Amino acid sequence: MALKSPLLGGAAGAISQLGHSRVWSNQALVVFSDGERSGGLPGLSPLRAIRSAKGESSSKSATELQPVDGRANVNISRKPQKDLSSFPKPLSVSDLSSTPEDGSKLRISFKGLSGSYSEDAALKAYPSCESVPCSEFEDAFKAVELWLADKAVLPIESSSGGSIHRNYDLLLRHRLHIVGEVQLPVNFCLLALPGVRMEQLKRVLSHPQALALSDAVLTKLNVARENVDDTAGAAQLVALNELEDTGVIASARAAEIYGLNILAERFQDNLDNITRFLVLARDPIIPRTDKQFKTSIVFTLDEGPGVLFKALAVFALRNINLTKIESRPQRKRPLRVVDDSNTGTAKYFDYLFYIDFEASMAESRAQNALGHLQEFATFLRVLGCYPMDKIM
């Protein structure tokens, strides 16, 4: 007997009618497409329906009440009654969807060292969290999957540098859920050892993107540029080796942590530089309608004229605003061979399409849009439904 839950019954029922299967846990609703259930994309394990632990073949006699004698009744009545307040309270929607506002007791994984911009984003979302630095983006994913961290904060796009494709690929490779976003104004600072002046610098270290976004000011400074994997790592390198002729482009927090001086702030060509980060967790949050939510999905389509137009039209028809469209090649199936009338075969690149749209999965228009999309999508997965972040 399949388990059912009264929580969000209407929304779940609507999703079921749209061709999705649903699996209930004690925390959240997981929605997956028929394509995923039947095998889906290579490398993705299909979900299994949850079955009741109670046997379905129980006989009627096993459930009938048996008479007891008076002595048994006396013994039962004399047993001390346990205080009902000692039992755990049932979980509510607020228990499942909320976290401490200051992020206390949360361990947040991110790529880089302490003082990186990813840690700044984690502290913006959860001011009192415990940071878990990781060497690579994938290590941050694995830290959450292995319960070494509660959540991960990873950059996904920059207003100056565009999308971070590596993390789009990792979203599909791993089974973490997007539960939030952080939009962080990035302030590049030029750092150096105490007592060093800007004109004494002969080279500047930083992440390749930070150097590229500061190209004009570095050209005026007439210094050599050297790539380092992490902005905070560059600050640590200069501090530990006492490199007096070397500057660093990093955050103001990195200067404080590693004992460096700030020679210049907003050390970038474009002063309005915003980086968007995703917050990832093992379990999704329950979508709500009392605040603005955003939903992220990934899907694939068959080759054909106007197919992508049809996919985008399901949102336009329901007045749903799209905030992001990204395409990535399918690495395990990069080419698709299609019959052609005269030349025999034609080869097309096979793509995954990532879309963010402004609507909650608790809204019927979002459910209907995905149900419509599933009619011609060969694969569809909801990556997360989460509250929208406002730039502060």
Side-chain angles (χ1 to χ4, degrees), residues 118-367:
S118 292
E119 187 183 43
D120 285 352
L123 292 173
K124 180 187 175 185
Y126 308 101
S128 299
C129 69
E130 179 183 349
S131 59
V132 182
C134 300
S135 299
E136 302 294 339
F137 287 130
E138 189 158 20
D139 294 336
F141 277 83
K142 291 180 178 178
V144 179
E145 292 173 332
L146 297 175
W147 295 77
L148 301 175
D150 300 298
K151 297 180 180 181
V153 172
L154 296 165
I156 196 67
E157 62 177 328
S158 166
S159 61
S160 299
S163 300
I164 300 174
H165 296 142
R166 173 62 173 164
N167 286 339
Y168 273 103
D169 296 338
L170 290 174
L171 282 174
L172 193 59
R173 182 178 301 176
H174 295 267
R175 275 290 183 176
L176 298 185
H177 303 269
I178 305 174
V179 297
E181 66 174 357
V182 182
Q183 299 196 53
L184 182 73
V186 175
N187 174 26
F188 287 153
C189 299
L190 181 63
L191 315 179
L193 290 173
V196 175
R197 300 188 304 274
M198 190 179 298
E199 56 269 20
Q200 294 177 283
L201 299 179
K202 296 181 179 178
R203 59 176 181 162
V204 172
L205 309 181
S206 194
H207 187 275
Q209 189 176 52
L211 294 175
L213 297 178
S214 307
D215 179 70
V217 289
L218 288 174
T219 300
K220 292 180 181 178
L221 199 57
N222 194 27
V223 293
R225 310 168 198 188
E226 294 187 19
N227 293 335
V228 180
D229 191 49
D230 177 41
T231 56
Q236 183 188 67
L237 179 64
V238 169
L240 291 179
N241 294 279
E242 299 182 353
L243 304 176
E244 296 183 354
D245 64 343
T246 304
V248 175
I249 298 177
S251 68
R253 286 188 63 254
E256 180 182 351
I257 292 172
Y258 301 108
L260 301 179
N261 281 352
I262 299 177
L263 301 181
E265 292 196 47
R266 299 178 70 81
F267 194 76
Q268 58 226 42
D269 300 339
N270 183 7
L271 299 182
D272 296 325
N273 183 19
I274 309 295
T275 299
R276 177 172 169 253
F277 295 80
L278 297 179
V279 182
L280 306 172
R282 288 179 293 273
D283 300 308
I285 60 175
I286 293 181
R288 296 157 57 179
T289 57
D290 58 346
K291 61 173 65 176
Q292 286 186 305
F293 264 65
K294 183 183 290 185
T295 302
S296 297
I297 64 172
V298 57
F299 60 91
T300 58
L301 300 169
D302 279 326
E303 186 65 35
V307 176
L308 181 57
F309 170 80
K310 294 177 183 177
L312 301 181
V314 305
F315 301 100
L317 290 172
R318 295 166 178 86
N319 199 32
I320 297 177
N321 183 44
L322 304 184
T323 60
K324 176 71 176 179
I325 304 175
E326 184 71 33
S327 63
R328 295 291 296 152
Q330 291 197 51
R331 294 188 175 184
K332 293 186 177 181
R333 187 183 169 187
L335 292 176
R336 181 187 304 170
V337 178
V338 182
D339 289 335
D340 199 345
S341 57
N342 295 323
T343 59
T345 59
K347 291 185 178 180
Y348 298 94
F349 286 98
D350 219 358
Y351 281 96
L352 293 156
F353 296 97
Y354 293 81
I355 284 182
D356 297 340
F357 60 87
E358 293 179 345
S360 170
M361 284 304 299
E363 300 178 61
S364 60
R365 60 173 183 156
Q367 299 168 16

Side-chain angles (χ1 to χ4, degrees), residues 49-183:
I50 298 177
R51 295 288 181 180
S52 172
K54 185 182 296 184
E56 297 184 3
S57 59
S58 301
S59 64
K60 181 178 178 182
S61 61
T63 59
E64 293 178 350
L65 294 177
Q66 300 297 325
V68 294
D69 58 18
R71 183 183 305 172
N73 286 334
V74 171
N75 290 338
I76 293 175
S77 64
R78 289 180 179 177
K79 290 184 179 179
Q81 298 296 321
K82 189 170 184 179
D83 184 7
L84 294 179
S85 63
S86 64
F87 288 97
K89 295 181 180 180
L91 291 177
S92 65
V93 172
S94 59
D95 296 324
L96 297 175
S97 60
S98 63
T99 56
E101 292 184 0
D102 62 350
S104 58
K105 299 181 181 179
L106 283 178
R107 291 170 56 84
I108 310 295
S109 61
F110 60 91
K111 180 184 182 296
L113 300 178
S114 294
S116 68
Y117 291 102
S118 292
E119 187 183 43
D120 285 352
L123 292 173
K124 180 187 175 185
Y126 308 101
S128 299
C129 69
E130 179 183 349
S131 59
V132 182
C134 300
S135 299
E136 302 294 339
F137 287 130
E138 189 158 20
D139 294 336
F141 277 83
K142 291 180 178 178
V144 179
E145 292 173 332
L146 297 175
W147 295 77
L148 301 175
D150 300 298
K151 297 180 180 181
V153 172
L154 296 165
I156 196 67
E157 62 177 328
S158 166
S159 61
S160 299
S163 300
I164 300 174
H165 296 142
R166 173 62 173 164
N167 286 339
Y168 273 103
D169 296 338
L170 290 174
L171 282 174
L172 193 59
R173 182 178 301 176
H174 295 267
R175 275 290 183 176
L176 298 185
H177 303 269
I178 305 174
V179 297
E181 66 174 357
V182 182
Q183 299 196 53

